[in-house]
């Protein structure tokens, strides 16, 4: 695969973010306008089924990488995504829309397996690779917010969905042109393997990190689905509610250039400090309705969220030195995304500010439970004839393939 493969995979991850979760705050209005579905529980059920699809699909894609190069799997998943995105436009009912969306999420889940290789292959190290990936995801959220506002602003929201299908088609063309399986190494070549004398992460360390990732996903994403409903219910116009929703993502993008310097200055304290900052800001959002105060709290929340996500993802990548344990981390995050709509729906039935408060409580707890990072193992050569060492997330693509 050419050097253009890295941008293509980053674009695929960003578009997956759009289709999987970034449009979540607009689903209540979409279902109400397009299909006459008024119940908030319908949105919770929809999001839950989409996350179940990701939970089921992720290990299946992971097993497939043992026999098929990841580059081909990404292209195959993107091919299915084009057809399914087109089918969303024609969905005649809420039930059909839900089924097609579930299949779309399952098809796009394969791109998650590329994250470890993308982060580790950055020419300036793991932290810049993580920062780049996080920037792409939050930029995708901004784009999704604009797209979501377009979707719910037209008389029939489904007429705006062809734009999503068009984006998927453009990405498919890029995948077909750029992504290629890695060549088979020549006899006598060497491949990296974890240094047996270096500190390997234990099962307990990986499990604790996976639980932390799961709770983080619940805390952050439970506060998303009903935020625009909360803002409009407090008297904000729909356009202002959209701006308020997107503010944390713009704050993340603004603070990311300083992430490296802050990581060097605060070290291990960056993660708990960022989580606590995000928790306080999210709690404030549950208590204020003035647009100016709410906007300020959203910006502070975004700053804490961005730095916390970078610090946490860096620990995820370095703890999984060879990437062998990443599938467990990815499963934990996906399960967190599955639980988040349940928490959001359960709390929103009491009050629309309650999901914000629930997320704040979880983030505050995480600030005091931040895991300690594990030093990555050193690479050592091993003959190609040895046992397979590649893990889901790198199978079929070498770090050279996806380097800038």
């Amino acid at each position: 695969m050419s050097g253009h493969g890295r941008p293509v995979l980053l674009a695929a991850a960003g578009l997956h973010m759009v289709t999987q979760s970034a449009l979540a705050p607009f689903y209540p209005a979409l279902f109400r306008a397009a299909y006459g579905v008024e119940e908030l529980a319908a949105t919770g059920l929809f999001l839950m089924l989409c996350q179940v699809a990701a939970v089921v699909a992720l290990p299946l894609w992971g097993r497939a990488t043992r026999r098929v190069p990841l580059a081909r799997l990404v292209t195959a998943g993107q091919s299915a995504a084009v057809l399914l995105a087109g089918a969303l436009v024609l969905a005649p009912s809420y039930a059909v829309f839900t089924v097609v969306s579930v299949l779309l999420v399952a098809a796009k889940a394969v791109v998650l397996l590329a994250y470890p290789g993308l982060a580790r292959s950055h020419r300036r190290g793991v932290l810049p690779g993580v920062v780049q990936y996080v920037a792409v995801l939050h930029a995708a959220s901004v784009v999704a917010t604009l797209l979501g506002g377009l979707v719910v602003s037209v008389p029939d929201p489904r007429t705006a969905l062809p734009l999503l299908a068009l984006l998927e088609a453009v990405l498919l063309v890029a995948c077909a042109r750029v992504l290629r399986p890695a060549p088979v190494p020549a006899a006598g070549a060497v491949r990296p393997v974890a240094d047996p004398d270096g500190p390997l992460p234990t099962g307990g360390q990986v499990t604790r990190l996976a639980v932390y990732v799961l709770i983080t996903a619940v805390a952050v994403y439970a506060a998303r689905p009903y935020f625009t409903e909360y803002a409009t219910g407090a008297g904000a116009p729909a356009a202002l509610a959209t701006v308020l929703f997107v503010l944390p993502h713009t704050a993340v993008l603004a603070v990311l250039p300083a992430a490296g310097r802050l990581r060097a200055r605060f070290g291990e304290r960056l993660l708990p400090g960022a989580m606590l900052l995000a928790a306080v800001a999210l709690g404030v959002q549950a208590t204020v309705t003035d647009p100016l105060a709410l906007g300020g709290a959203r910006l502070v929340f975004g700053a804490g969220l961005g730095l916390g996500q970078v610090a946490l993802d860096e620990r995820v990548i370095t703890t999984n030195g060879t990437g062998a344990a990443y599938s467990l981390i990815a499963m934990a995050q996906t399960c967190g995304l599955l639980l988040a709509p349940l928490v959001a729906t359960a709390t929103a039935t009491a009050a629309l500010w309650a999901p914000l408060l629930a997320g704040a409580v979880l983030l505050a707890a995480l600030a005091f439970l931040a895991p300690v990072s594990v030093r990555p193992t050193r690479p050592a050569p091993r003959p190609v004839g040895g046992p397979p060492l590649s893990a889901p997330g790198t199978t079929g693509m070498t770090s050279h393939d996806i380097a800038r």
Side-chain angles (χ1 to χ4, degrees):
M1 181 177 66
S2 70
H4 297 293
R6 184 183 182 87
V8 170
L9 287 175
L10 287 170
L15 196 52
H16 175 68
M17 174 69 179
V18 171
T19 56
Q20 184 182 23
S21 58
L23 288 174
F26 300 97
Y27 285 129
L30 172 63
F31 295 151
R32 182 168 54 246
Y35 305 116
V37 176
E38 299 282 350
E39 298 81 4
L40 289 178
T43 299
L45 176 63
F46 172 84
L47 296 174
M48 181 190 70
L49 291 176
C50 287
Q51 295 307 327
V52 167
V55 170
V56 172
L58 192 57
L60 297 178
W61 284 120
R63 293 176 71 88
T65 59
R66 299 176 183 178
R67 299 183 179 180
V68 181
L70 182 58
R72 290 178 179 168
L73 292 178
V74 170
T75 302
Q78 190 59 38
S79 300
V82 171
L83 298 176
L84 293 168
L88 284 179
V89 181
L90 305 175
S93 66
Y94 163 81
V96 175
F97 187 93
T98 299
V99 171
V100 174
S101 297
V102 164
L103 296 175
L104 178 59
V105 169
K108 297 283 289 184
V110 62
V111 74
L112 297 177
L113 300 180
Y115 183 24
L118 282 170
R120 288 194 298 268
S121 68
H122 195 284
R123 59 186 177 87
R124 290 190 288 116
V126 170
L127 183 60
V130 169
V131 169
Q132 185 182 61
Y133 190 88
V134 171
V136 167
L137 294 189
H138 285 275
S141 293
V142 174
V143 172
T145 301
L146 299 176
L147 178 61
L150 173 64
V151 168
V152 300
S153 65
V154 296
D156 183 356
R158 290 170 295 180
T159 60
L161 293 178
L163 177 58
L164 179 60
L166 177 61
L167 292 174
E168 296 284 9
V170 170
L171 185 56
L172 173 60
V173 172
C175 289
R177 289 177 58 87
V178 174
L179 298 186
R180 296 288 186 273
V184 178
V190 295
R191 61 174 60 159
V193 64
D195 180 0
D197 297 325
L200 286 168
T202 65
Q205 289 170 328
V206 174
T207 300
R208 285 193 295 272
L209 186 57
V211 172
Y212 194 92
V213 168
L214 186 153
I215 297 174
T216 301
V218 172
V220 173
Y221 285 92
R224 292 172 59 90
Y226 301 107
F227 176 79
T228 54
E229 297 284 313
Y230 166 66
T232 54
L240 179 58
T242 300
V243 172
L244 290 172
F245 175 78
V246 82
L247 281 181
H249 301 293
T250 59
V252 170
L253 295 174
V255 79
L256 283 180
R261 294 192 298 273
L262 293 173
R263 175 68 174 88
R265 179 175 180 179
F266 294 103
E268 298 288 331
R269 294 173 294 166
L270 181 61
L271 177 58
M275 289 295 186
L276 186 58
L277 180 65
V280 171
L282 197 56
V284 170
Q285 293 174 53
T287 63
V288 300
T289 56
D290 176 73
L292 186 60
L294 194 56
R298 296 288 286 172
L299 287 172
V300 175
F301 169 65
L305 175 62
L307 294 175
Q309 187 173 358
V310 167
L312 179 57
D313 282 10
E314 183 192 21
R315 297 188 189 195
V316 166
I317 300 301
T318 56
T319 298
N320 302 304
T322 62
Y326 181 72
S327 59
L328 176 62
I329 302 294
M331 285 291 295
Q333 183 181 40
T334 306
C335 288
L337 296 177
L338 169 63
L339 294 174
L342 302 180
V343 173
T345 301
T347 53
T349 54
L352 289 176
W353 51 261
L356 299 170
L357 184 59
V361 171
L362 290 175
L363 287 174
L366 290 171
F368 297 98
L369 299 173
V372 177
S373 62
V374 179
R375 181 174 68 86
T377 56
R378 298 186 302 273
R382 179 186 291 270
V384 170
L389 300 172
S390 56
T394 57
T395 303
M397 294 185 197
T398 65
S399 60
H400 174 73
D401 292 326
I402 55 180
R404 292 179 61 179

